[in-house]
Amino acid sequence: MLDLWYTENHTDNVRFSIKTNKQLHSEKSDFQQIDFFESEEFGTFFTLDGLMMVNEKDEFVYHDMITHVAMATNPNIKKVLVIGGGDGGTVRELTRYDSIEQIDMVEIDERVVRLSQEYLPITAGKLEDPRVTLLFEDGLAYVKNKEEGYYDLILVDSTDPIGPGEGLFSHDFYNNCFRVLTDDGILINQHESPYYPSYAHEMKRAHSKIKGLFPITRVYQFHMPTYPSGHWLFGFASKKYDPLKDADLEAWNKLGLKTKYYNTDIHTGAFALPTFVKEMLNDA
Ligand code: AAT
């Protein structure tokens, strides 16, 4: 039998490979190259433009961490905007909160959603929750046109800043996010990785832009085995609440949500960054 391997370039000098059973789907959408595979180690996974987005084995890490840190910081969040996130994993975690009234997901590429509904029900299974509205358009244009002070929380679940995701790392985008957030609004953004220089460069650029706009800006880390270096970050930017001083962790525990990665020790611990990361962020 022929061995089929999916290989991704993490840098010009480093590659990451997964043995696959078969390729489930491949197409070029209007926005990007989309591929779905089945594998022993990571279950079903999909890539965009040759980069791992989601797989069945480590998606829980990413989707727990993009969602629960903000929700534990402000339990009164009612209106949420998700930008990107076509696989539905972020929306799935949000729907677990009865307190959330409205979830708008703005995804540029409808094909990612439809294919995830077909091949990845583990993430896409809650996109039909009555509180969810799917909008297929560019997140950058969406926040530009949205009225101010509308959302309590924005989760930027975006690709890397190449291709369609580029605008979601721009000053203009972060500025409009600030504008459409309520006075106690929180922005969580996909913040790249501090390890390999090309990713660290984007991490620093994003941080310097967000730092200039929001009064409270922090960065927190988590372990993603299938993303380059496995060391990944989200940004926490906020108009009012500090995720360490203001989070009511006891109240979050009382909700009784069962999670596989996030817990209230991780909530605090994730903000403790290695020295090299702190230095990069201070210089940004
Ligand atoms: N839940 C983790 C999966 C992703 S996929 C990110 C999504 O962002 C993709 O479906 C892509 O189509 C969408 N996207 C890209 N640009 C835009 C845009 N301008 N507006 C709206 N949606 C957009 C994140 C993976 C992170 C990978 C890190 N290496």
Side-chain angles (χ1 to χ4, degrees), residues 21-78:
N21 302 333
K22 62 174 172 211
Q23 181 155 19
L24 297 165
H25 187 84
S26 179
E27 76 174 59
K28 183 140 181 47
S29 73
D30 290 343
F31 303 97
Q32 51 211 342
Q33 175 63 40
I34 310 175
D35 291 284
F36 277 74
F37 300 91
E38 191 186 279
S39 72
E40 212 52 61
E41 202 67 44
F42 292 103
T44 299
F45 68 93
F46 83 95
T47 64
L48 295 177
D49 291 336
L51 294 173
M52 170 67 79
M53 293 294 126
V54 172
N55 66 72
E56 290 182 303
K57 291 289 160 62
D58 71 14
E59 61 82 16
F60 71 97
V61 180
Y62 184 100
H63 296 124
D64 269 17
M65 290 304 276
I66 197 171
T67 308
H68 302 305
V69 173
M71 289 307 299
T73 301
N74 177 14
N76 295 316
I77 286 168
K78 304 250 183 294

Side-chain angles (χ1 to χ4, degrees), residues 8 31-32 46 48 51-54 59 62-63 66 82-90 106-110 112-113 123 135 137-141 156-160 162-168 173 190 192 199 226-228 232 234:
E8 177 171 324
F31 303 97
Q32 51 211 342
F46 83 95
L48 295 177
L51 294 173
M52 170 67 79
M53 293 294 126
V54 172
E59 61 82 16
Y62 184 100
H63 296 124
I66 197 171
V82 176
I83 300 211
D87 58 274
T90 299
V106 179
E107 161 63 57
I108 202 167
D109 195 343
E110 181 172 2
V112 176
V113 175
T123 55
L135 299 139
E137 61 176 280
D138 187 339
L140 180 63
V156 187
D157 185 357
S158 72
T159 42
D160 303 306
I162 28 162
E166 195 178 343
L168 305 183
F173 174 69
Q190 200 280 87
E192 302 292 298
Y199 290 91
T226 57
Y227 285 178
W232 217 260
F234 283 126

